[in-house]
Amino acid sequence: MLLAAIDWHALLFLLFALVACGFGAAVLLTSNVVRMAFYLTLCLGATSGLFFLAGAQFVGAMQLMIYVGGTLVLLIFGVMLTAQARFISMKTGAGEWILGAIVGSSLLLLLVRAGFSVESWRLPRLDRDKITLAEGQTSTAIGLALTSVRVDKLSAPNEKLKPGMSGYLLPFVIVSMHLLVVLIGAGYMARTKRLGVNRATDRPVAQAPPRDRDRSFFVSAGLASGMIVNLLLAVGCCWLVAKPLAITGNAAPTNQFLLQLAKAIDAAPSWLLPTLGLLFLANVLLLVVVWYWQKWGVVGLVIVPLVMAFLIASTSLGQAAAVTIALIALAPVVLLILLLCSGRPTAWSQME
Amino acid sequence: MLRPPDGLVADGITAIDMDSFPPPITVSHYLVVGAVLFVLGAVCMATKRNALGVLMGIELVLNGANLNFVAFGSRFLRQDTLGLDGELMALFVIVLAAAEAAVALAIALNFYNNHTTIDVDHADDLKG
Amino acid sequence: MAQFLNVEVFSRLAGLAGGSVSADSWMGYAAAAAIHILFLIHVVAVGALVFIWLERKVAGRIQDRLGPTRVGGKFGWLQTLADGIKLIAKEDITPKDADPLLFKLAPYVSFAASFTAYMALPFANGWAAQEINVAVFFIVAVLGLEVFGVILAGYASGSKWSLFGGMREAAQVVSYEVPIGLCIVVPVLIVGSMNLVTIGEAQVGFFSNWLIFHDPFTFLVFFVYFTCAVASVNRAPFDLAEAESELVAGFHTEYSGLRWSFFFMAEYGSMFLVSGLAAILFFGGWNGPIPIFHMIGWAYEQGETGWRITGYIAQVAGVLNFMLKAVLGVTVMMWVRWTLPRLRIDQVMTTCLKYCVPLAAFCFIGAMLWKVYDVSSPHDLHGYTYGRSFAETRENWVLASEDNASRAVGNALRGVPESGTTEAQANSNRTSPHAHASVGRGTPDVTAPLAAQEVN
Amino acid sequence: MNLHDLVSQLIIDSTGSASLITPDSSLRAFLPELVICATVLAMLFVRLFRVGRYVDMFWIALAGSIAALYFAAPWDHLGAVLTADQAAHPAAVTRMEIFTGMLVYDTFSVYVRSALFLFAILFVIFTRLSGIPDHEDSPDIYTLVLGATLGMCLMVTANHLLMVFMAVEMASVPSYVLAGILKGRRQASEAALKYSVYGAGAAGVMLYGISLVAGILNTAHIPTIALTLAEKFSGGLSAVPSGELMVLALGALLISVGLAFKLSAVPFHFWCPDVFEGATAEVNAFLSVASKAAALALLVRVALGMGVIAPTGFAPGERWAKTHQNAPATTPTSTDKTTDLFYIAQEPVTAAGAAAAADSTAEPAKLPAMQSLAPVRSFTAKLIAFFAIITCTFGNLAAYGQTNIKRLLAYSTIAHAGYMMMPVAAVVAMAGIDNAGAARGIAGLAIYIAVYLFMNLGAFAVVAFLRNAMRSEEIADYAGLVRRCPLTVVCFSLILFGLIGLPPLSGFIGKFAIFASLVDGWRAVEAAGQPGFYLLLLLIVGGINTAISLFYYLRVVKVMTIDDEPADRPPLVYSDVSLAGAYLWLITLPTAGLIVAWDWLSEMADAAARNLIG
């Protein structure tokens, strides 16, 4: 009865555990990086044996396939690409060894103690024959769990604490996104450098622009007056927010236009007026920007009236009002652009 | 072959009890292997000068943790387990580790291209 | 373990010889294990001998020569054996620049990986060294490890030709694992199991039941699989790792003698393995084109227990059937080798990434849609699932996972006899040559006692 | 329970109802992340076509981030206090565990995710202005940035230990590449190597800790962990076997290593200065703002998740089913089964399920559980306080001797991580004693995150623009800048004053909120008769550190304004009045002016803290 009496689980466990730990130690002790990779292969192979032994066949096969067959091949590939003679074996200093040994052994002691300190971990399962096929062989159950259907914990003894009612559909799906991003990143890092890189940090510092720029009087005057007008409009908006025009009563404006305006403002939502004020302020800033020879200021000056028109159109004031406002606001901008493009040399050509 | 033996009790060989040799394998034994791998990996990370050696240390660490997960989830080792969570987490860790290794390797190769060395001790441009 | 040479045969033979060996005893167990190991080793080692001879003959015929003719009579039967003896007698050289340890280990790593994969390969219904639930996955995973031997050999030889060979192999094999995985998923998807025995048994019946004829996608994916398999075992036209016209002999340039022959055993072992896998996944495995043994009632029926000589003969015929298909696959690989020129490395990569992967993915999606929309095919697997849908099969898992009380109720509803004692189940499990069927039936199978189950 | 039921429950869990996607479904809650995924895919897809090569990925990335922010909709969800009726409305955000408990969706996640998306928008514009990704690199770089942002969103919402690990990996691994984005540079590749090696190591250690915790409690679902812990500790601390205590503490410590690494907390900060110096200023901004905010949110999730019984929540689709009971096609199976199966983990609190659950019978059962978790909270609070004290002090002290502005800001980031961990310690200590105070503490943290976002982004923007102008990141080269670009110097000075926390600037709001929560915590804990001295210590250390930090921030200001221009400085080509300058104004505006909108910000922050603690 010798063979039958042998606890095969214990025997195989011992075998795999010794191989795993032994070659793990070999990984640490050898200084030759290729051998390190080889020992790591054997170590991880033995670990997959332990997975099989614990009943996790799918994980074991996965470990062989992805870890040993994929990741480690990749590592060895890296080793070979960098395996110049002087890098193959790099020795670790004695001091580091001693330190590593001390810290490592104390950590190991702690972890081993921890491993034996919980009772439910220490005691073996005695009723192994009660294990059903569904519990023991897990690839179908894993497949179901990856589609978020957990069949393993439908019947935990404590109803309240049925643990792990967690289907793994989301991780399963989202990890693919991760792999995609990571592969792009790895490809980016591993690609050879391109010629003609055009990054800001790789360009030489730009030459200083010519300092002696000049501008016709009309442009300067247009910019200045634009600033003043916009500032006034902005102040006006703020003033209207602070002291709304009365539509009726004694204070009601007699001027027909003002009355219309007051009614329009009253009809508009409360956020419109402050926003318009801010936009006028933005116009002032943009004019300053144009003053300082920046082309994008002009772009901004075109965009701001369009935004105003869009905002007004989205309220109850109607699209006609919006178009009117846009036209009124755009007219000076067009004038400004014409001014900028006139003269010799044109102001536009001197701008950045 | 590698199916854990569950037969001893049912086979009538109940004579083997807790104290006899060999002791039945429990979660703790798996944890010891996991701890050994973890510590070896950690020390490997700390002492190796070759960047790829450091990466191998990381693989060992992750495997130690994975072994724990599988042991905690195994029906054969104890009654009330982590369940499939253990195996599934191990699966995802394997996948994530593969992704991480790919990136780390690409970075190590990039380092090698720029420094013509793979010795992490030479990575000392940045300090202060 | 080892239903190969059923222990009962062994014990009967022993009984004839006057001894008495019980099938359940450790001797029965050990004998079965030993016989099994011997058998597998012979499949690999003797197989390699035969294949090398075959390769030479095929090459000769394709090149309009005769091939070996002298040793062992007219057909040169014993040529490989003679070569083998020569190889054993040769000096075992280790180059000066080599890494001696890795140089010596590399061939064995390669061989061990190839040999380990045989563990999960069934040769007939239930006749596998170890019926693993994830056998397909396991075989592909282990086959992927063979590359380690090649890489190590390439590196450890200390020769740049070898190193080039090793690097090429690493790049190639890692790339080709992707389409291979995708191809293998297609039959797995259709049958709904990763268990090779289940997949093989799902194709029982006439040849129209073979999965390659299941739908256009499986038909297409077989060719993708075969291409990738050729590449993954490093055969021409994908044999860049040894590319003798460029790299002398690639990764095994520096090897000689017995170590060199181990690489060859590994190569031919892998060839047989991937062909066998193709046979099971696409060509009905051990099921012949016409189910003669099922017609005359010899073959074991689903769920049948007990041992009988006719069933045994049917199983042996299944083995022969399977071997024939696998050898045919190997022969085709030889034919390809001596017909097509070798690709460049960039062409190899292009083939993989631009053609094989998209094609396999297309087939996978197509087969999935075929399955989802339940398009009819020559064989809709009803015989295998006994008219039960896959959802129902899965449902049994849910039921089997519930607590004992509701499980009993569920079984009662399904007409499955009350499970009763564990012993009864253990018995049924032990004596069934169709242990896998319990998965399909969803019986809350109790893992049988080790001795009992393993001896069987 | 058959398979069909399980699958239909899964569908209800994902989409809220069998026939349509309801406003309270998992997918709807996850929509911003899905938009990010779609953006990444779009960037790759566009490149497939010849025309797409000419498309600037900047616009796609920008549109994606804006869309993500739009779908996160903080303006809708971070309103005033919800009544029970309002909370029962399907579109209202309360606590909801989505995707079978993998993630949790509540106002806190809305807040932090919105901050992340806002940062992504600003960051994408920033990189465009500073010109780091050129046309060919831009899809890769924006893919990495958005991929990391996706991971950070998962960090913010993680409710399961696997998701914790996975989110940390998803946020870190793209960051490793980002650190080495200038791949031709020695320093950049060194930074990337160091970051990836240390990061992977820390992740491994954290994983081991996770395995221990999950193994001893037999679950990885964080609320269930809290319940299991409460059960374990129900007999008091002494009733727990010392071995189990040791394993739990060990697991917590190992997990804290990983979190501390992400937070760059001392002693796991060593990567931070090196990586910051080697990587570009743009990446630094990303690492110091987004990564830090996500790490803090994760710290809150883990610390509070394990130390506090999760408050009442709804299951996906539950409220929809209640409000649309007469709707034609709701569910094939009864909805209460849904709750039953997937939300069993919350059983004690969600038994009643409806809005009325807040005052249902579950409450009395919850209190003892909360009480028995007190040792867990006390341990966690002290651990965090310890990390906060050394992180803050070390960061500020080490910032002194720095000559490189990026290193200085790196240490400043470390110090700020310390400040931001302080309220977490106070919150964990207060939970169960003074829940309202704890919520205020979370709100303080939320305010600090918002303020810090603008300050640090602005600081690194200045560094990046000046680097483009003069190819130097040495503080000495900034001398006399006020004569060249006065507006930029003003912006930078305002930002630096804000980082100190000087009163008129918005940095002050953050500091004030944090210190207020520490005082609250100290009072509450002391009033409950437990030792709360460490919270007072935190307050004192925080105060002293603020004083210390004054000097090194002011030194930079002094160099820029008072010192003479160095003779050997490369020619400086930089105009205040440029798009870059305008961007700086835009960033500085909230730094200087958020104090005006304090009410508005603090209302949002209060809303963010609403669902974290019962």
Side-chain angles (χ1 to χ4, degrees):
Chain A
M1 295 306 288
L2 182 64
L3 271 169
I6 289 177
D7 187 347
W8 287 100
H9 185 198
L11 194 72
L12 288 172
F13 173 82
L14 210 62
L15 179 73
F16 283 127
L18 282 180
V19 172
C21 296
F23 282 106
V27 171
L28 178 62
L29 296 178
T30 182
S31 57
N32 179 326
V33 68
V34 184
R35 287 195 187 178
M36 238 190 272
F38 177 62
Y39 296 147
L40 187 64
T41 311
L42 295 182
C43 171
L44 298 192
T47 316
S48 89
L50 286 176
F51 290 169
F52 276 96
L53 213 54
Q57 297 183 337
F58 190 77
V59 183
M62 186 95 164
Q63 162 104 348
L64 284 180
M65 179 119 181
I66 294 187
Y67 232 119
V68 187
T71 310
L72 278 184
V73 170
L74 208 64
L75 260 178
I76 292 189
F77 209 69
V79 169
M80 284 185 169
L81 287 177
T82 57
Q84 307 285 324
R86 62 201 164 104
F87 304 132
I88 289 175
S89 57
M90 290 195 286
K91 299 260 189 306
T92 310
E96 283 187 39
W97 274 128
I98 294 168
L99 194 68
I102 293 170
V103 174
S105 52
S106 45
L107 185 61
L108 183 64
L109 212 65
L110 184 69
L111 289 178
V112 168
R113 233 189 79 98
F116 279 98
S117 61
V118 176
E119 198 184 359
S120 77
W121 296 351
R122 221 169 29 225
L123 299 178
R125 181 170 189 171
L126 292 175
D127 55 344
R128 288 204 194 119
D129 48 335
K130 294 271 185 351
I131 300 168
T132 61
L133 182 66
E135 290 169 333
Q137 298 197 328
T138 48
S139 63
T140 306
I142 282 182
L144 287 173
L146 284 179
T147 51
S148 262
V149 177
R150 287 292 292 270
V151 295
D152 61 323
K153 293 234 167 163
L154 291 178
S155 59
N158 184 350
E159 269 296 310
K160 280 187 182 170
L161 290 179
K162 259 184 194 171
M165 287 311 302
S166 322
Y168 282 72
L169 183 59
L170 176 78
F172 186 57
V173 173
I174 211 74
V175 81
S176 62
M177 205 63 217
H178 175 60
L179 291 179
L180 178 69
V181 170
V182 159
L183 282 185
I184 289 170
Y188 174 81
M189 284 311 274
R191 260 199 319 251
T192 47
K193 269 175 279 184
R194 285 165 298 115
L195 294 172
V197 189
N198 195 24
R199 237 187 251 118
T201 46
D202 300 321
R203 282 194 294 262
V205 176
Q207 289 306 306
R211 278 285 153 205
D212 49 344
R213 288 185 280 203
D214 68 334
R215 179 160 43 201
S216 68
F217 167 74
F218 293 109
V219 176
S220 305
L223 289 174
S225 56
M227 283 179 219
I228 293 165
V229 170
N230 273 299
L231 201 60
L232 287 177
L233 283 170
V235 172
C237 285
C238 295
W239 185 68
L240 283 177
V241 173
K243 286 188 69 173
L245 290 173
I247 306 170
T248 53
N250 289 338
T254 49
N255 187 329
Q256 199 56 38
F257 173 73
L258 276 183
L259 191 64
Q260 287 292 328
L261 188 67
K263 278 182 181 164
I265 290 168
D266 193 51
S270 60
W271 52 262
L272 186 63
L273 218 47
T275 317
L276 286 180
L278 278 179
L279 284 172
F280 282 126
L281 266 184
N283 258 343
V284 176
L285 282 177
L286 288 168
L287 285 165
V288 172
V289 164
V290 176
W291 185 276
Y292 279 98
W293 306 98
Q294 298 285 324
K295 274 179 183 168
W296 59 272
V298 180
V299 179
L301 283 176
V302 176
I303 292 174
V304 167
L306 295 179
V307 172
M308 283 184 182
F310 175 76
L311 287 177
I312 291 171
S314 68
T315 63
S316 57
L317 294 179
Q319 290 173 355
V323 172
T324 319
I325 295 277
L327 286 179
I328 292 173
L330 274 177
V333 178
V334 172
L335 190 65
L336 181 67
I337 292 173
L338 285 178
L339 278 176
L340 284 175
C341 295
S342 64
R344 184 163 301 273
T346 57
W348 184 258
S349 64
Q350 299 175 50
M351 290 170 81
E352 292 157 21
Chain B
M1 177 207 57
L2 297 178
R3 187 170 300 147
D6 21 39
L8 297 185
V9 180
D11 214 25
I13 311 171
T14 44
I16 297 178
D17 58 356
M18 292 286 103
D19 305 326
S20 71
F21 180 83
I25 298 300
T26 63
V27 179
S28 294
H29 296 93
Y30 280 85
L31 290 190
V32 169
V33 182
V36 168
L37 292 184
F38 176 77
V39 170
L40 287 175
V43 177
C44 198
M45 268 157 55
T47 56
K48 290 285 173 207
R49 285 174 57 204
N50 190 319
L52 297 169
V54 179
L55 288 184
M56 292 180 200
I58 292 167
E59 306 300 329
L60 276 179
V61 166
L62 291 175
N63 260 272
N66 254 1
L67 197 54
N68 281 7
F69 278 125
V70 168
F72 287 137
S74 173
R75 293 265 167 196
F76 298 105
L77 299 177
R78 58 180 180 150
Q79 180 97 45
D80 196 16
T81 68
L82 187 53
L84 274 183
D85 278 318
E87 286 184 31
L88 284 159
M89 285 168 93
L91 279 184
F92 280 106
V93 169
I94 290 174
V95 174
L96 291 171
E100 192 167 36
V103 162
L105 195 68
I107 288 174
L109 289 182
N110 185 247
F111 180 81
Y112 177 76
N113 285 339
N114 285 333
H115 295 243
T116 60
T117 177
I118 197 76
D119 186 346
V120 282
D121 286 357
H122 284 217
D124 53 1
D125 282 2
L126 305 170
K127 58 175 137 184
Chain C
M1 191 193 215
Q3 296 170 7
F4 250 115
L5 202 109
N6 196 306
V7 180
E8 231 158 306
V9 177
F10 181 75
S11 55
R12 272 164 215 216
L13 285 176
L16 284 181
S20 86
V21 174
S22 156
D24 282 352
S25 76
W26 69 269
M27 261 175 76
Y29 176 84
I35 290 165
H36 194 174
I37 291 168
L38 276 179
F39 182 85
L40 279 188
I41 286 183
H42 278 84
V43 168
V44 180
V46 179
L49 286 185
V50 174
F51 288 145
I52 292 173
W53 170 80
L54 189 66
E55 174 118 47
R56 295 174 148 203
K57 290 306 263 189
V58 170
R61 293 294 166 180
I62 287 177
Q63 295 168 347
D64 207 8
R65 320 180 260 115
L66 287 176
T69 51
R70 301 285 173 82
V71 192
K74 194 183 168 196
F75 297 108
W77 294 114
L78 298 178
Q79 181 65 47
T80 334
L81 199 62
D83 284 350
I85 292 167
K86 181 195 77 178
L87 281 175
I88 294 171
K90 263 186 161 181
E91 187 191 351
D92 183 19
I93 304 168
T94 307
K96 189 162 68 71
D97 282 347
D99 183 329
L101 176 74
L102 297 182
F103 184 80
K104 283 179 183 139
L105 276 175
Y108 306 119
V109 171
S110 216
F111 179 73
S114 169
F115 185 63
T116 312
Y118 276 86
M119 201 176 72
L121 188 73
F123 283 73
N125 182 6
W127 281 14
Q130 174 62 33
E131 205 181 310
I132 298 178
N133 203 11
V134 289
V136 186
F137 196 21
F138 179 81
I139 287 180
V140 176
V142 173
L143 261 187
L145 304 189
E146 201 195 331
V147 66
F148 271 106
V150 175
I151 297 177
L152 285 178
Y155 166 76
S157 297
S159 145
K160 65 177 167 186
W161 307 122
S162 303
L163 189 63
F164 281 144
M167 298 276 277
R168 286 178 174 191
E169 167 95 0
Q172 181 182 329
V173 170
V174 171
S175 311
Y176 273 91
E177 256 178 30
V178 178
I180 275 215
L182 276 173
C183 293
I184 281 175
V185 165
V186 174
V188 168
L189 175 83
I190 291 168
V191 176
S193 169
M194 282 199 280
N195 188 332
L196 278 174
V197 177
T198 314
I199 294 176
E201 275 307 280
Q203 308 171 54
V204 70
F206 283 92
F207 64 88
S208 61
N209 288 359
W210 293 353
L211 283 180
I212 188 171
F213 303 123
H214 183 266
D215 57 60
F217 302 107
T218 47
F219 189 77
L220 181 56
V221 89
F222 163 72
F223 294 98
V224 181
Y225 169 79
F226 198 75
T227 312
C228 299
V230 171
S232 78
V233 297
N234 219 355
R235 287 284 296 187
F238 302 100
D239 58 342
L240 291 162
E242 38 185 297
E244 56 280 299
S245 52
E246 307 157 27
L247 302 180
V248 189
F251 66 94
H252 57 68
T253 305
E254 307 294 339
Y255 280 88
S256 67
L258 204 56
R259 286 185 216 291
W260 182 81
S261 68
F262 262 95
F263 276 123
F264 269 76
M265 278 205 269
E267 178 175 336
Y268 286 100
S270 307
M271 278 166 70
F272 182 83
L273 198 72
V274 292
S275 307
L277 205 55
I280 298 177
L281 291 179
F282 297 102
F283 289 96
W286 44 89
N287 295 302
I290 301 162
I292 300 171
F293 286 97
H294 283 273
M295 286 173 168
I296 59 175
W298 281 20
Y300 285 120
E301 288 304 324
Q302 203 91 16
E304 184 179 338
T305 59
W307 186 88
R308 52 192 167 78
I309 185 74
T310 48
Y312 194 78
I313 291 170
Q315 290 283 74
V316 172
V319 171
L320 293 179
N321 212 327
F322 170 75
M323 298 271 241
L324 189 68
K325 287 174 187 171
V327 171
L328 256 177
V330 173
T331 316
V332 171
M333 285 187 190
M334 291 170 181
W335 172 25
V336 168
R337 171 173 179 183
W338 296 103
T339 313
L340 295 179
R342 179 180 305 120
L343 301 178
R344 285 196 317 268
I345 181 77
D346 62 315
Q347 291 168 327
V348 170
M349 287 299 158
T350 311
T351 315
C352 172
L353 298 174
K354 281 199 175 161
Y355 298 102
C356 289
V357 172
L359 264 179
F362 167 74
C363 293
F364 169 64
I365 293 172
M368 190 176 69
L369 292 178
W370 195 279
K371 195 85 183 140
V372 167
Y373 291 105
D374 215 8
V375 185
S376 69
S377 44
H379 172 45
D380 48 12
L381 304 175
H382 276 316
Y384 150 67
T385 54
Y386 291 95
R388 201 187 296 124
S389 72
F390 280 91
E392 265 182 279
T393 313
R394 293 282 172 270
E395 191 167 321
N396 282 307
W397 279 92
V398 181
L399 284 170
S401 309
E402 285 189 55
D403 54 5
N404 283 324
S406 60
R407 185 201 305 155
V409 173
N411 286 342
L413 288 176
R414 251 161 207 78
V416 178
E418 183 73 29
S419 56
T421 60
T422 51
E423 199 186 341
Q425 293 213 348
N427 274 336
S428 74
N429 196 26
R430 172 171 58 215
T431 43
S432 164
H434 304 277
H436 63 277
S438 53
V439 177
R441 282 200 307 274
T443 319
D445 190 355
V446 171
T447 327
L450 171 79
Q453 195 182 33
E454 302 297 69
V455 164
N456 185 37
Chain D
M1 187 64 56
N2 61 17
L3 187 72
H4 186 260
D5 286 352
L6 287 174
V7 170
S8 47
Q9 275 157 3
L10 169 66
I11 291 172
I12 289 170
D13 175 70
S14 314
T15 62
S17 138
S19 52
L20 75 168
I21 298 179
T22 64
D24 61 340
S25 61
S26 302
L27 280 177
R28 176 61 190 81
F30 201 61
L31 196 53
E33 284 91 337
L34 293 179
V35 168
I36 294 285
C37 295
T39 313
V40 169
L41 292 179
M43 282 196 286
L44 292 178
F45 195 69
V46 163
R47 295 281 278 204
L48 282 182
F49 304 104
R50 194 175 289 278
V51 184
R53 306 255 164 94
Y54 302 106
V55 177
D56 197 336
M57 295 304 148
F58 162 74
W59 298 108
I60 299 183
L62 185 67
S65 328
I66 292 176
L69 181 62
Y70 173 76
F71 286 116
W75 42 82
D76 280 349
H77 300 315
L78 299 178
V81 181
L82 287 183
T83 61
D85 280 347
Q86 284 167 330
H89 187 266
V93 180
T94 59
R95 185 186 161 81
M96 178 165 80
E97 293 195 9
I98 57 177
F99 294 114
T100 66
M102 278 285 157
L103 303 179
V104 59
Y105 178 58
D106 55 14
T107 44
F108 184 68
S109 69
V110 170
Y111 184 92
V112 185
R113 282 194 310 174
S114 304
L116 288 176
F117 295 138
L118 177 66
F119 179 77
I121 295 170
L122 294 174
F123 178 77
V124 168
I125 299 172
F126 171 34
T127 51
R128 169 74 166 189
L129 292 176
S130 73
I132 270 301
D134 63 4
H135 188 76
E136 196 168 338
D137 281 349
S138 56
D140 297 327
I141 291 175
Y142 289 131
T143 297
L144 289 167
V145 167
L146 292 183
T149 307
L150 178 66
M152 288 164 191
C153 291
L154 292 180
M155 279 166 85
V156 174
T157 47
N159 196 37
H160 189 276
L161 287 179
L162 173 68
M163 289 315 291
V164 170
F165 178 70
M166 199 159 153
V168 166
E169 285 282 287
M170 286 181 72
S172 306
V173 178
S175 308
Y176 304 155
V177 183
L178 282 175
I181 214 161
L182 301 179
K183 58 185 175 181
R185 308 220 152 180
R186 287 170 63 91
Q187 293 200 336
S189 58
E190 186 181 327
L193 185 70
K194 281 185 175 168
Y195 193 20
S196 63
V197 164
Y198 294 145
V205 172
M206 178 166 90
L207 186 73
Y208 199 87
I210 287 178
S211 79
L212 287 183
V213 171
I216 195 168
L217 301 174
N218 284 339
T219 176
H221 181 230
I222 291 176
T224 316
I225 283 181
L227 288 177
T228 321
L229 278 175
E231 200 182 39
K232 231 182 226 326
F233 284 97
S234 56
L237 199 58
S238 51
V240 188
S242 64
E244 296 197 7
L245 271 184
M246 183 182 106
V247 173
L248 280 173
L250 195 63
L253 282 175
L254 292 180
I255 291 178
S256 75
V257 170
L259 290 177
F261 180 87
K262 282 307 285 177
L263 282 165
S264 69
V266 179
F268 303 102
H269 69 287
F270 42 80
W271 59 277
C272 190
D274 286 355
V275 170
F276 272 47
E277 190 184 345
T280 65
E282 292 82 353
V283 176
N284 293 349
F286 188 71
L287 292 183
S288 77
V289 179
S291 183
K292 213 92 329 149
L296 275 167
L298 183 65
L299 178 69
V300 170
R301 285 268 179 248
V302 173
L304 278 185
M306 291 190 185
V308 170
I309 303 292
T312 315
F314 293 96
E318 186 185 328
R319 284 171 292 173
W320 176 266
K322 280 206 187 309
T323 48
H324 293 75
Q325 255 162 4
N326 301 325
T330 41
T331 59
T333 52
S334 61
T335 42
D336 40 302
K337 261 194 172 176
T338 317
T339 349
D340 224 349
L341 183 73
F342 284 111
Y343 292 87
I344 223 87
Q346 302 177 3
E347 183 75 28
V349 275
T350 54
D359 52 341
S360 76
T361 49
E363 277 305 306
K366 204 171 129 184
L367 276 175
M370 273 298 262
Q371 291 308 322
S372 57
L373 275 175
V376 179
R377 284 195 296 271
S378 150
F379 176 78
T380 320
K382 279 168 193 154
L383 191 64
I384 296 173
F386 169 73
F387 272 121
I389 288 174
I390 55 172
T391 303
C392 195
T393 313
F394 179 86
N396 277 322
L397 289 179
Y400 256 104
Q402 302 307 324
T403 56
N404 182 304
I405 186 74
K406 286 200 293 191
R407 275 192 101 80
L408 182 127
L409 286 174
Y411 282 110
S412 142
T413 300
I414 294 174
H416 278 273
Y419 289 129
M420 289 193 269
M421 282 156 74
M422 288 176 182
V424 183
V427 165
V428 174
M430 262 190 284
I433 299 169
D434 176 10
N435 283 347
R440 277 198 302 280
I442 295 285
L445 174 66
I447 290 175
Y448 204 111
I449 287 176
V451 171
Y452 181 74
L453 186 156
F454 288 105
M455 291 192 301
N456 246 26
L457 178 60
F460 281 110
V462 171
V463 173
F465 295 147
L466 288 180
R467 172 206 65 206
N468 284 354
M470 60 185 189
R471 293 288 179 279
S472 169
E473 285 155 352
E474 295 301 315
I475 297 173
D477 284 338
Y478 285 5
L481 269 186
V482 72
R483 294 171 195 75
R484 294 302 185 92
C485 37
L487 282 178
T488 301
V489 169
V490 169
C491 289
F492 199 22
S493 307
L494 281 176
I495 288 166
L496 290 177
F497 286 132
L499 283 171
I500 301 169
L502 288 186
L505 298 164
S506 59
F508 172 69
I509 322 173
K511 281 253 164 68
F512 181 78
I514 281 178
F515 291 157
S517 78
L518 287 178
V519 176
D520 277 0
W522 174 60
R523 283 199 187 137
V525 172
E526 288 284 336
Q530 291 165 15
F533 175 69
Y534 60 97
L535 293 176
L536 191 62
L537 185 67
L538 271 180
L539 182 66
I540 295 166
V541 168
I544 293 173
N545 269 302
T546 307
I548 297 176
S549 69
L550 196 65
F551 294 102
Y552 66 84
Y553 287 125
L554 282 185
R555 182 164 64 91
V556 180
V557 178
K558 180 213 145 214
V559 167
M560 287 193 300
T561 52
I562 297 175
D563 286 8
D564 286 331
E565 289 188 61
D568 57 343
R569 186 169 64 194
L572 177 69
V573 184
Y574 182 71
S575 166
D576 276 333
V577 195
S578 58
L579 272 180
Y583 180 79
L584 274 185
W585 306 341
L586 185 75
I587 298 294
T588 318
L589 196 67
T591 310
L594 257 185
I595 200 155
V596 180
W598 184 336
D599 281 348
W600 171 71
L601 188 62
S602 94
E603 183 182 303
M604 297 236 284
D606 282 339
R610 192 190 294 150
N611 313 112
L612 273 176
I613 306 161

